[in-house]
Amino acid sequence: MNLEYDGGMEQIDRAEGSPSSSAAPGRPRDTTIDARVTGAVVELLATVPYSALTLEGVAAAAGTSKPAVRRRWGSLPGVVVHTLISVLGTTPTPDTGCVHCDLIAGISTLSDTFQASPITRALPGLVSDLEADPELREVFRRDYFEARRATSRAVLEHAVERGELQDGLDLELTLDLLAAPIYYRAFFGHQPIDDGLAERTVLSVLNGVATADWQRHHRASRS
Amino acid sequence: MNLEYDGGMEQIDRAEGSPSSSAAPGRPRDTTIDARVTGAVVELLATVPYSALTLEGVAAAAGTSKPAVRRRWGSLPGVVVHTLISVLGTTPTPDTGCVHCDLIAGISTLSDTFQASPITRALPGLVSDLEADPELREVFRRDYFEARRATSRAVLEHAVERGELQDGLDLELTLDLLAAPIYYRAFFGHQPIDDGLAERTVLSVLNGVATADWQRHHRASRS
Amino acid sequence: MNLEYDGGMEQIDRAEGSPSSSAAPGRPRDTTIDARVTGAVVELLATVPYSALTLEGVAAAAGTSKPAVRRRWGSLPGVVVHTLISVLGTTPTPDTGCVHCDLIAGISTLSDTFQASPITRALPGLVSDLEADPELREVFRRDYFEARRATSRAVLEHAVERGELQDGLDLELTLDLLAAPIYYRAFFGHQPIDDGLAERTVLSVLNGVATADWQRHHRASRS
Amino acid sequence: MNLEYDGGMEQIDRAEGSPSSSAAPGRPRDTTIDARVTGAVVELLATVPYSALTLEGVAAAAGTSKPAVRRRWGSLPGVVVHTLISVLGTTPTPDTGCVHCDLIAGISTLSDTFQASPITRALPGLVSDLEADPELREVFRRDYFEARRATSRAVLEHAVERGELQDGLDLELTLDLLAAPIYYRAFFGHQPIDDGLAERTVLSVLNGVATADWQRHHRASRS
DNA sequence: CCATAACCGAGACGGTACGTCGCGTCTTGAT
DNA sequence: ATCAAGACGCGACGTACCGTCTCGGTTATGG
C-alpha cells in the first residue's frame, strides 16, 4: 500500500465542507453517485458476504468507476463505514420515562436492524479491516457506535435519577449487557435473533440492576 | 475462492485418519511443521492484524512452503481456525457446585485469553471469512465455540438443579449475557477488558437470574 | 477519444472566421498563445517521443491551460497537425525548367526537414491517431500532405510537356518513388537520411522515367 | 511507466528458452494462450485502429488476463510486434534467377499483405511507440524489418553478379525505392495499393538501375 | 532390495483486484 | 467570450498476491 497517498483524503473533506461556501473551484461532484454507491453496497451484501465485496465490484454495481468511489471514501472499508452510518447512524430512540419501555424499544430497533438490513453482515469483516486504519476506525466508533450507544446511556442515566436503577450502577457494563447479546448472536449465529429476544434481554438485565422498588412496581403492573 | 477445490480436504483427512491404520504409504508428514505453523500464526498476529495475514506469509514465518500448509488446512481461514482450536479449544473449567465461583472462573479465563493471546484478534476477520466457507464454519462452531460454551452451560444446568437459578431459565440467553460483553468489548474496543470485568458481569447477571434464596445467601456470605 | 465532442470545433471557426467581422463579443483571444503552443510542441518533441506528448504537458510547456489549447485545436492530434502545417505546410519549391534541379531542390528540402525539425518525429504517431479522426485526417491530407505534393507534381507535369519525361508517365507513382524513401527511412530508421540521399534518389528515378533524349543530354552535361 | 520493472523480460525468455531443457521449475505455461492473443490482436485490428488497442482489451478478447499477456510480451507494443512477426515475419520469397520476376513476386507479396491483413494498420502507431522502447525496437527491426529486407537484398546481389544490374549499385537505396511506395501509400492513403502497383514499381525502378543489356533483353522478351 | 507413493522445497502460472495516472469534461470567478 | 485554475468521471495502466499446478528430489512402507 502506498502510504504516502493521502490526496483522496483531502478530497473527501470536500463533501463535508462548510455548506455555506458556495465557491468550490472545479467541476462539482455528481451527487447521484453517492446514493448509487450506498445502494449498491446494501444490494451486494444481500447476496454476497463482506469478504467477497470489492471496491471494483461496488463501483460496477453502482454504475460508476473506482476513482469516483475512492475520491469520496478512500477505501472499501471507508465506503462500507459510510454506508453503515448513512443507513443506521441516526436512529430515533425514545426516552419516555419508562425504563423498560424505552430500553425494549431501543434494543428492538437494533435487533430488527440485524434481521432486516444486509449491511449488518458487514460488521465482522469491517471491524477486522478497521484494525489497519485507525483514522477510519475513529469515524466508525464516533459516528456509528457511540452515536447509537449514547441514546441508551441517556435512558439509563435518567432512570438512575428517577431512582429506578441502582445508584452507582456501572452504566457501561449495563449497556454492554443490553446490546452485546444481539451482536454476539449476529456474529456467531449460534442462536436466532428473534422478536422476543430484545424484551427477554432487557427484563433479564433490569432484574439484575433495577432497584427493589422498581421490581415491585413492575411485577405488580404485569399481573 | 475456488469452491470446487476439495483436493486438499482429502489430504487433510490423512492427519485425522484412523489412528489404528499403521500402514500409510509414502513419505510421512513432517510433524514439526504443524506446530511451527501454529506458532507462526500466533506470532504474526502479535504484530499485524488479521487482514494482513497471508498464507504465503504464514508459510514463510513457519519456515515451510505454501503447499505444505495448504495440504494440512486448506485455506488461510482454515489455518487460523485450527490454530484457534489448538490454542483455545480445550479449557479446563471447574464445576465445583458454587455457581458464581464457577462462572467467574470461566468468564475470567475467557477475559484473560482476550487480554493475553494475540490469536483472539483474528476473530472478527475469521468470522467474516467463514461466511464464505460453511464447512469450515461448522468446524469452528463445533470445536471452538460450542466446545467452550458447553462447559458453562453445564454449570448453569447444575445450578438450576440445585435451585440456585430460577426454574425455566433461558439458558442460552444467560450464556450470551455472560460471554457476550467480553466479545463485544474485544470487537469494538469501546471499553477495556480489565480484571474485574468478569466478576462484575457474572454478579450482574446472577442478580437477574438467580433465585431469591441464592441472593439472600450470597449477600449474607459477603457481609 | 470522445468522437461526439465537437464543441471545440465551433470555437475553432472563430480563429478562421471572417476577418471583416470586427465585432467579436466577449474577451478576445490572447493571440500570443497560438505561437507559444506551437513552439512548445516543437520543443517538447525535441526531447520526448510523440507517444509521451500529452495535451496537459503541451499546455504547461506553453504556459497556458488545457481549455485554452483545446478551444483552438480540439485534441492533441489537432494541435500537432496544426503545428505541422504551420511549420512545414508552405515550402517555396522552385520550378525553373530544369527537371532534376527542381526535383533535387524539392526532395532536399524534405530531407533537410527530417534531419532538422523535431516535428517530423511526430508523423508516425500522428498518422496512427488520425485513423480515429477522419475530419482531422482530411485537414492533414489537404493542408500538409497534398500541399507539398502539388508543387512536385507541377514540376513533373511541366517536364512531361517539355518532353523530358516519358509521355504517359504514372505521375503519382513517380511522386511516390521520389518522396517515399525519405519517409521510409525516417519511419524505420534502417538507413540514415544524409545529404546526398535526395540527389541519388532523384537521379535513380529519373533514370527510369526520363526520355532517352534527356538522359543523353544529362550525361553529356555531367562529363 | 515503471522503468525498474523488467521482471517480465526474464520470464519472456522462458518461452524462447532452450527447447532441450526439459526441467522448467514451476507450472508450465498454457500454450493455447499464445495463439489466442495473437488471433485477438488481428481480429481487433480488423475493426478498430491501433490507437484504440489496449492491453486490457486484447487480454479480454483473447479470453485471458492482463498479467498472462504481460508475462509473455511485456507491453502492448510488445504483443503487437510479436504478432506482426508471427504473422508476417517469415515470407518465402523466390530467387529464381529472373530479377524482375523475383522482385515483382516479393513486392507483390508485400502489397498483398497490406491489402489483406489488418495487422499492417498497426504499423504507424507501432513505429511511434517503439521510439520509447529501444529494446523492442531492435527486435522489430531484426525479426520483422530486416528479415523481410534480406531476401530482396539477396535477389539484387545475385542480379548484380549476373550483370543484370549496374555494378556499384546502391543496394540500400534500391531496396527503399522498391518497398517504400507500398508503405508510403499504406501510411498516408493518398493512393490505393492495387494489384498492378508492385509490377509498375519494380519495372520503373529496374529501368533506372538495370544495365543496358538487361533492358534490351527485357524489352525484346516483352514484344 | 527395490518399487511405489505421498511428502517436501521451490517457483512459475492464470487470474482478480488493487491503487494510480492522465485524459477529456465541466464549472467557477475574474479579466 | 475568453482566461486561469482545478475537481470531476472514467478508461487503462502496471503491480501484488492469491490460489493452482508442476516439477525434481526425499523418505518411509510393502511386495
Side-chain angles (χ1 to χ4, degrees):
Chain A
M1 186 184 296
N2 186 350
L3 297 173
E4 297 177 321
Y5 178 70
D6 62 343
M9 278 304 158
E10 298 167 10
Q11 317 255 19
I12 290 175
D13 293 337
R14 203 188 203 209
E16 310 175 9
S18 49
S20 63
S21 81
S22 58
R27 173 176 173 173
R29 285 208 178 139
D30 180 345
T31 51
T32 71
I33 289 181
D34 299 59
R36 284 192 344 244
V37 170
T38 300
V41 168
V42 175
E43 268 182 53
L44 283 171
L45 282 173
T47 55
V48 301
Y50 177 81
S51 60
L53 271 196
T54 66
L55 199 144
E56 198 157 30
V58 169
T64 183
S65 64
K66 274 189 295 179
V69 176
R70 198 173 290 278
R71 236 191 292 271
R72 283 167 171 76
W73 306 293
S75 61
L76 179 65
V79 174
V80 179
V81 164
H82 170 86
T83 302
L84 195 65
I85 292 170
S86 83
V87 172
L88 307 181
T90 57
T91 9
T93 341
D95 189 1
T96 63
C98 164
V99 201
H100 74 278
C101 311
D102 292 347
L103 289 178
I104 289 174
I107 304 300
S108 284
T109 303
L110 181 64
S111 125
D112 288 350
T113 299
F114 273 99
Q115 285 181 278
S117 180
I119 189 69
T120 53
R121 79 188 302 198
L123 274 170
L126 197 53
V127 164
S128 176
D129 285 353
L130 289 177
E131 207 157 341
D133 187 340
E135 225 167 299
L136 185 59
R137 183 181 171 88
E138 176 55 21
V139 172
F140 171 81
R141 198 199 57 73
R142 172 165 36 83
D143 292 343
Y144 169 74
F145 191 86
E146 191 55 36
R148 299 185 69 102
R149 191 173 176 90
T151 62
S152 292
R153 187 186 288 110
V155 168
L156 292 185
E157 284 169 345
H158 295 162
V160 171
E161 290 167 9
R162 287 194 305 268
E164 296 177 350
L165 298 185
Q166 297 161 10
D167 211 34
L169 180 65
D170 185 338
L171 284 185
E172 299 305 323
L173 177 59
T174 308
L175 287 168
D176 290 347
L177 285 168
L178 289 165
I182 306 277
Y183 283 94
Y184 194 46
R185 294 192 171 191
F187 277 32
F188 295 107
H190 54 289
Q191 289 287 325
I193 302 181
D194 51 53
D195 288 339
L197 176 62
E199 183 171 358
R200 297 203 312 276
T201 304
V202 170
L203 294 182
S204 246
V205 173
L206 283 184
N207 264 352
V209 300
T211 55
D213 263 14
W214 179 86
Q215 301 208 19
R216 199 158 35 241
H217 287 135
H218 180 64
R219 255 188 294 274
S221 71
R222 292 193 72 179
S223 59
Chain B
M1 187 180 296
N2 187 348
L3 298 173
E4 296 177 321
Y5 177 69
D6 61 345
M9 279 302 159
E10 299 167 10
Q11 317 256 18
I12 290 174
D13 292 337
R14 200 189 202 210
E16 309 173 8
S18 48
S20 63
S21 83
S22 57
R27 174 175 173 174
R29 283 201 179 150
D30 181 345
T31 51
T32 73
I33 290 181
D34 299 57
R36 262 152 52 206
V37 169
T38 299
V41 168
V42 175
E43 267 183 53
L44 283 172
L45 282 173
T47 55
V48 301
Y50 176 80
S51 60
L53 274 194
T54 65
L55 197 142
E56 198 158 28
V58 169
T64 183
S65 65
K66 273 193 293 180
V69 176
R70 197 173 291 280
R71 242 188 302 271
R72 284 166 172 75
W73 307 293
S75 61
L76 178 66
V79 174
V80 180
V81 164
H82 170 86
T83 304
L84 195 65
I85 292 170
S86 81
V87 172
L88 307 180
T90 56
T91 10
T93 340
D95 189 2
T96 63
C98 164
V99 63
H100 76 276
C101 310
D102 292 347
L103 289 178
I104 288 173
I107 304 300
S108 282
T109 304
L110 181 64
S111 127
D112 289 350
T113 299
F114 274 99
Q115 285 182 278
S117 179
I119 188 68
T120 54
R121 80 188 302 201
L123 274 171
L126 198 54
V127 163
S128 177
D129 285 352
L130 289 178
E131 208 158 340
D133 187 341
E135 225 167 302
L136 185 60
R137 183 182 171 88
E138 175 55 21
V139 172
F140 171 81
R141 199 198 57 74
R142 171 165 37 83
D143 291 345
Y144 169 74
F145 192 86
E146 191 54 36
R148 299 185 69 101
R149 192 173 175 89
T151 61
S152 291
R153 188 186 287 109
V155 169
L156 292 186
E157 283 169 346
H158 296 163
V160 171
E161 289 166 10
R162 289 193 305 268
E164 294 177 353
L165 299 185
Q166 297 162 8
D167 212 35
L169 179 65
D170 185 338
L171 285 185
E172 299 304 324
L173 177 58
T174 307
L175 287 167
D176 289 347
L177 284 168
L178 289 165
I182 306 278
Y183 283 94
Y184 194 47
R185 292 192 172 193
F187 280 25
F188 295 108
H190 55 288
Q191 289 287 326
I193 301 181
D194 50 53
D195 287 340
L197 177 61
E199 181 171 359
R200 296 204 311 278
T201 303
V202 170
L203 293 183
S204 246
V205 172
L206 284 184
N207 263 351
V209 300
T211 56
D213 264 13
W214 178 87
Q215 302 208 18
R216 198 157 35 241
H217 287 135
H218 180 63
R219 255 189 294 275
S221 70
R222 293 194 70 182
S223 59
Chain C
M1 185 181 298
N2 187 349
L3 298 174
E4 298 178 321
Y5 177 67
D6 62 345
M9 280 299 158
E10 299 166 10
Q11 317 255 19
I12 289 174
D13 291 337
R14 200 192 200 207
E16 310 173 8
S18 48
S20 62
S21 81
S22 58
R27 173 173 173 175
R29 281 198 181 155
D30 180 345
T31 51
T32 72
I33 289 181
D34 299 58
R36 263 155 47 209
V37 170
T38 299
V41 168
V42 175
E43 266 183 55
L44 284 171
L45 283 173
T47 54
V48 301
Y50 176 81
S51 60
L53 275 194
T54 66
L55 198 141
E56 199 156 27
V58 168
T64 183
S65 65
K66 273 193 294 179
V69 176
R70 197 173 292 280
R71 240 188 305 274
R72 285 168 172 76
W73 306 293
S75 61
L76 179 66
V79 174
V80 179
V81 163
H82 170 85
T83 304
L84 196 65
I85 291 170
S86 81
V87 172
L88 306 180
T90 57
T91 11
T93 342
D95 189 1
T96 63
C98 165
V99 199
H100 74 275
C101 311
D102 291 348
L103 289 177
I104 289 174
I107 304 300
S108 282
T109 304
L110 181 64
S111 129
D112 289 352
T113 300
F114 273 99
Q115 284 182 279
S117 179
I119 188 70
T120 53
R121 80 188 303 199
L123 274 170
L126 198 53
V127 163
S128 177
D129 284 352
L130 289 178
E131 209 158 341
D133 187 342
E135 226 167 301
L136 186 59
R137 183 181 171 89
E138 176 55 20
V139 172
F140 171 81
R141 201 198 56 74
R142 170 162 41 80
D143 292 345
Y144 169 73
F145 191 86
E146 191 55 36
R148 298 184 70 103
R149 191 174 175 89
T151 62
S152 291
R153 189 187 286 111
V155 169
L156 292 185
E157 284 170 345
H158 296 161
V160 171
E161 289 166 11
R162 287 194 305 269
E164 295 176 352
L165 298 185
Q166 297 162 7
D167 211 37
L169 180 67
D170 186 338
L171 285 184
E172 299 304 324
L173 178 58
T174 307
L175 287 167
D176 290 348
L177 285 168
L178 289 165
I182 305 279
Y183 283 94
Y184 194 46
R185 292 192 172 191
F187 277 30
F188 294 107
H190 55 288
Q191 290 287 325
I193 301 181
D194 50 52
D195 287 340
L197 177 62
E199 183 173 358
R200 295 202 315 276
T201 304
V202 170
L203 294 183
S204 247
V205 172
L206 284 185
N207 264 353
V209 299
T211 57
D213 264 12
W214 178 88
Q215 302 208 17
R216 198 156 36 237
H217 287 134
H218 180 64
R219 254 188 295 274
S221 70
R222 295 193 70 179
S223 59
Chain D
M1 186 184 295
N2 186 349
L3 298 174
E4 298 177 320
Y5 177 70
D6 62 343
M9 278 301 157
E10 299 168 12
Q11 318 252 20
I12 288 175
D13 292 338
R14 201 189 207 211
E16 310 175 9
S18 49
S20 62
S21 81
S22 58
R27 175 175 172 173
R29 285 206 179 140
D30 180 345
T31 51
T32 72
I33 289 182
D34 299 61
R36 283 188 349 240
V37 170
T38 299
V41 168
V42 175
E43 267 182 53
L44 284 172
L45 282 174
T47 54
V48 302
Y50 176 81
S51 60
L53 271 195
T54 64
L55 199 143
E56 197 157 29
V58 168
T64 182
S65 65
K66 275 189 293 179
V69 175
R70 199 174 289 279
R71 238 190 295 269
R72 285 168 171 75
W73 307 294
S75 60
L76 179 64
V79 175
V80 179
V81 164
H82 170 87
T83 303
L84 196 64
I85 291 170
S86 81
V87 172
L88 307 181
T90 56
T91 9
T93 340
D95 190 0
T96 63
C98 163
V99 63
H100 76 275
C101 311
D102 291 348
L103 290 177
I104 288 174
I107 304 300
S108 282
T109 304
L110 181 64
S111 125
D112 289 351
T113 300
F114 273 98
Q115 284 182 277
S117 179
I119 188 70
T120 54
R121 81 188 301 198
L123 275 170
L126 196 54
V127 163
S128 176
D129 285 352
L130 289 178
E131 209 156 340
D133 188 340
E135 226 167 300
L136 185 59
R137 183 182 171 88
E138 175 57 20
V139 172
F140 171 80
R141 198 198 56 73
R142 172 165 37 82
D143 291 344
Y144 169 74
F145 192 86
E146 190 55 35
R148 299 185 69 101
R149 191 174 175 89
T151 62
S152 292
R153 188 187 288 110
V155 169
L156 292 185
E157 284 169 345
H158 296 162
V160 170
E161 289 166 11
R162 289 194 305 266
E164 294 177 352
L165 299 185
Q166 297 161 8
D167 211 36
L169 181 65
D170 186 338
L171 286 184
E172 299 305 323
L173 177 57
T174 307
L175 288 167
D176 290 348
L177 285 168
L178 289 166
I182 306 277
Y183 283 94
Y184 194 44
R185 292 191 171 191
F187 279 27
F188 294 107
H190 54 289
Q191 289 286 326
I193 301 180
D194 50 54
D195 288 339
L197 177 60
E199 184 172 359
R200 295 201 316 275
T201 303
V202 170
L203 294 182
S204 247
V205 172
L206 284 185
N207 265 351
V209 299
T211 56
D213 264 13
W214 179 87
Q215 302 209 16
R216 199 156 34 237
H217 288 133
H218 180 65
R219 254 188 294 275
S221 70
R222 293 193 71 181
S223 60

